[in-house]
Every structure is written in C-alpha cells, then in structure tokens.
Amino acid sequence: MIQKSKKGELHKLFPTCVLEVQDFLTQQECKDVLQKVKEDKKNLKKHNSLLGNAATTYLEQNFLSKLNSAIQSSLLEVGKKYSEIIGFEIQNTFDGSWFNIQNKNSSLKKHNHPMSTISGIIYIQCDKDSFNTYFHNPNPMLNFTKINKDTESSVDWVAFKPKIGTLLLFPSWLQHGSNFTKNKSKERIVISFNII
C-alpha cells in the first residue's frame, strides 16, 4: 500500500540580510557631501581593490567626521536597528569611513571588510551607466552542486542598482564588488564605512 505524501515544512536556514534604505540622504545632502569630497580629493590614493582609473581615501579613515553630525547620528541609528534585526552585538561606533571615486572603465574587486561587524555604502554620485554593487553568496559549498534554477539559496550573486542617496548596510564579512563589470559613467562616488 502506498502512503499518501505528506506536506513538509520548508525551513530557510542562515539567511544573509542586506538593508537598502532609499533616499537615506536627500539630493541637497548629497550635493553638500560632494562639496566635502571635492575639498578632500587631495587624500585620494590607489588601492588594491580598485582597478583602473579609481581612487579612495581609505587610508584617512575619517570622512564621516567631516560631514553634518546629523548624518552620522542617522547612520548609527539605522545601524543599531539593523544589528538588532540580524542579531549582531555592536558597540555602535564607526570604525573607519572613506569615499571612493571610480571613473569610466574602472571596476571593484570582490572583497569584504575584516575586523568590523557591519559595513555600509551610500551612493553620492551615480547614474544609469554606473556599475551595480554585487553581493556574492557566502556559501562556500555552492559550487559542489549542479544548479538548474536561481533561487535565494542557489544564486551566485545579487546585484543592487545604485541610486543617489541610497544606503546599503550588510555584514562586513559579505563579499561584494563590481563582478568584473566596468563602470561606464564619468564618475561614480560612494561613501563607505564600517561599524563595530
């Protein structure tokens, strides 16, 4: 006798959460930040994660301190809420902040941000030709399996289209980059930061 099949319960284990906050900064706030970027261009340097005509102020590590304190407070407030959602314990302090300028035909290597808990980016200047931000599946065993359909469990990467003023928060261990895609816009500018 064949038993009737029973409906099972699907448990989605170990999700990776990326928080997207559109219009985190207003158009005017982005213009104000761009003015600070222009003033701080003297601190731009090459970095191993940036390929082509691109530079960063990563070595300075304090760009957010040059901005309106309300922006810093808002970032920490959202960071705290995000940490509560994902269950990470944080001191809720910045552990570095910088900006990247990527010109036409530059790209960003896949990388993560070690020694911090939460990382984030804010798009300050971009357009339809700016490369997407790609987050890569952190499951190291994924390539052991033949994939016949992209799902949230099997997809190799997920892309976020940049939009001026948008904030992305993610676990610092999550690898991200341009996925070998070259920037086609004249200038793509983002603020990057870490929270511990």
Side-chain angles (χ1 to χ4, degrees):
M1 181 170 132
I2 300 174
Q3 290 185 336
K4 291 182 179 178
S5 63
K6 295 183 180 181
K7 187 175 181 180
E9 183 177 353
L10 182 65
H11 298 273
K12 295 184 178 183
L13 306 178
F14 317 122
T16 303
C17 298
V18 173
L19 176 65
E20 179 182 31
V21 182
Q22 293 190 9
D23 300 317
F24 178 79
L25 293 183
T26 65
Q27 294 288 324
Q28 185 56 54
E29 287 172 321
C30 287
K31 286 179 184 176
D32 294 343
V33 171
L34 274 176
Q35 184 59 44
K36 294 291 185 186
V37 164
K38 287 178 185 175
E39 293 169 11
D40 215 34
K41 279 189 172 181
K42 64 186 179 297
N43 293 318
L44 284 167
K45 304 275 189 262
K46 290 286 186 184
H47 190 275
N48 290 343
S49 65
L50 299 168
L51 300 173
N53 189 4
T56 180
T57 61
Y58 176 75
L59 296 174
E60 295 297 311
Q61 291 285 309
N62 64 352
F63 184 68
L64 285 174
S65 68
K66 300 173 183 182
L67 304 182
N68 182 324
S69 62
I71 292 174
Q72 297 174 65
S73 298
S74 295
L75 279 173
L76 290 176
E77 182 181 332
V78 174
K80 181 70 174 166
K81 288 178 183 174
Y82 173 71
S83 72
E84 290 168 359
I85 290 168
I86 62 175
F88 289 1
E89 182 178 337
I90 59 170
Q91 298 168 24
N92 208 29
T93 58
F94 293 112
D95 186 39
S97 59
W98 59 96
F99 65 85
N100 300 331
I101 298 181
Q102 297 204 242
N103 299 299
K104 197 167 185 179
N105 293 322
S106 65
S107 59
L108 180 63
K109 286 184 187 177
K110 182 167 68 170
H111 68 285
N112 60 13
H113 296 207
M115 309 302 289
S116 58
T117 307
I118 295 170
S119 295
I121 59 173
I122 307 171
Y123 300 105
I124 301 301
Q125 183 170 294
C126 55
D127 59 35
K128 64 180 180 56
D129 295 322
S130 299
F131 67 75
N132 293 337
T133 300
Y134 291 82
F135 291 97
H136 296 270
N137 191 325
N139 182 348
M141 303 301 154
L142 192 62
N143 62 356
F144 288 156
T145 306
K146 183 178 179 185
I147 306 296
N148 65 3
K149 181 171 92 171
D150 285 340
T151 69
E152 61 188 14
S153 298
S154 67
V155 70
D156 190 37
W157 48 260
V158 174
F160 284 77
K161 184 75 180 160
K163 183 181 174 193
I164 292 174
T166 293
L167 163 69
L168 296 178
L169 288 179
F170 50 93
S172 297
W173 49 257
L174 185 61
Q175 291 194 315
H176 55 285
S178 67
N179 203 27
F180 305 105
T181 304
K182 290 188 176 179
N183 185 44
K184 297 300 179 191
S185 59
K186 183 179 177 184
E187 248 184 358
R188 180 186 188 272
I189 301 175
V190 301
I191 298 173
S192 298
F193 60 91
N194 293 324
I195 295 175
I196 55 170

